[in-house]
């Protein structure tokens, strides 16, 4: 599997259903039927692609959306969600996190209490584990995908390690300067946890 196939595979899951759980089932079933190398490729590519969104600017954009409370885990799950939106959207927001203001899935959350986000939370933790589940399904080896990755010189990631300069979206002047459009639709304190 190469990067184009990875994105096509995710796109096909989204064409089948928009429900995240059903997409995971589809991805898991189709990965488990694939050669083991393809399952390992999927996890390696997921990690590599996720790394592109692993910046302080993106974390602070997520922090704005989450009302100032985007934890390390929350950001990790947010990155997977971004990937799940597809290649075009991912590339758009990785280029400039302020472009999240144009993403329909983000705009639908604006101005609403986080309590009302049932089924719409911008996170997709389980995408991180779909390859592990498929590998186990195919081989019976629990977490065997990580050993297979290690044999190929890759280690799995489980936390963000952002690049760029650290800053805080809690500073309204800085948030408006760095994320002007997103700051207009999500201001810290506008959504309650």
């Amino acid at each position: 599997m190469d990067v184009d196939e990875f994105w096509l595979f995710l796109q096909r899951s989204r064409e089948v259903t928009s429900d995240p759980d059903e997409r995971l089932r589809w991805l898991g079933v189709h990965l488990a039927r694939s050669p083991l190398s393809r399952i390992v490729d999927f996890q390696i590519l997921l990690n590599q692609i996720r790394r592109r969104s692993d910046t302080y600017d993106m974390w602070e954009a997520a922090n704005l959306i989450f009302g100032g409370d985007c934890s390390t885990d929350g950001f990790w799950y947010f990155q997977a969600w971004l990937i799940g939106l597809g290649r075009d959207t991912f590339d758009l927001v990785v280029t400039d996190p302020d472009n999240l203001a144009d993403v329909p899935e983000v705009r639908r959350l604006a101005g609403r209490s986080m309590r009302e986000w049932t089924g719409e939370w911008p996170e997709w933790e389980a995408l991180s584990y779909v390859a592990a589940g498929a590998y186990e399904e195919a081989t019976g080896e629990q977490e065997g995908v990580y050993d297979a990755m290690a044999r190929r010189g890759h280690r799995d990631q489980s936390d963000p390690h952002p690049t760029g300069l650290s800053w805080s979206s809690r500073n309204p002047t800085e948030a408006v300067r760095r994320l002007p459009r997103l700051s207009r639709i999500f201001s810290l304190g506008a959504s309650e946890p």
Side-chain angles (χ1 to χ4, degrees), residues 1-189:
M1 175 180 289
D2 64 21
V3 70
D4 293 327
E5 291 172 300
F6 173 90
W7 284 115
L8 182 60
F9 190 54
L10 277 177
Q11 178 184 325
R12 287 185 60 214
S13 75
R14 193 169 182 162
E15 289 168 356
V16 170
T17 179
S18 62
D19 179 85
D21 293 333
E22 290 178 24
R23 284 182 72 191
L24 288 170
R25 278 190 286 282
W26 188 93
L27 290 165
V29 165
H30 286 81
L31 273 176
R33 294 178 186 160
S34 300
L36 295 179
S37 62
R38 185 174 168 87
I39 300 171
V40 177
D41 289 344
F42 181 89
Q43 187 63 45
I44 290 169
L45 287 165
L46 177 64
N47 290 348
Q48 290 172 346
I49 290 166
R50 171 185 252 137
R51 191 77 186 117
R52 292 181 49 217
S53 67
D54 200 4
T55 67
Y56 282 108
D57 286 345
M58 188 68 75
W59 198 341
E60 291 305 329
N63 207 34
L64 275 175
I65 294 167
F66 281 78
D69 192 25
C70 185
S71 66
T72 301
D73 286 347
F75 184 49
W76 188 248
Y77 309 154
F78 179 81
Q79 291 172 334
W81 177 80
L82 284 177
I83 293 169
L85 294 177
R87 187 179 209 165
D88 292 342
T89 300
F90 184 81
D91 287 344
L92 178 73
V93 300
V94 165
T95 300
D96 180 359
D98 200 35
N99 288 332
L100 281 161
D102 298 327
V103 174
E105 293 84 351
V106 172
R107 293 191 68 80
R108 280 195 292 271
L109 302 175
R112 294 172 47 210
S113 165
M114 291 167 62
R115 290 186 194 114
E116 298 172 12
W117 292 3
T118 306
E120 298 175 276
W121 272 90
E123 60 182 19
W124 201 18
E125 175 185 7
L127 180 62
S128 303
Y129 314 118
V130 73
Y135 197 93
E136 182 176 356
E137 176 77 23
T139 65
E141 296 176 47
Q142 192 173 36
E143 300 194 12
V145 73
Y146 306 117
D147 294 334
M149 288 173 61
R151 287 191 294 273
R152 288 173 54 181
H154 295 272
R155 68 178 192 81
D156 192 49
Q157 299 167 255
S158 58
D159 286 311
H161 298 284
T163 59
L165 296 174
S166 177
W167 63 281
S168 175
S169 57
R170 292 181 184 276
N171 176 332
T173 303
E174 196 65 14
V176 167
R177 185 177 77 78
R178 292 176 181 259
L179 303 166
R181 293 177 301 130
L182 197 60
S183 292
R184 278 194 293 276
I185 62 174
F186 291 97
S187 61
L188 290 184

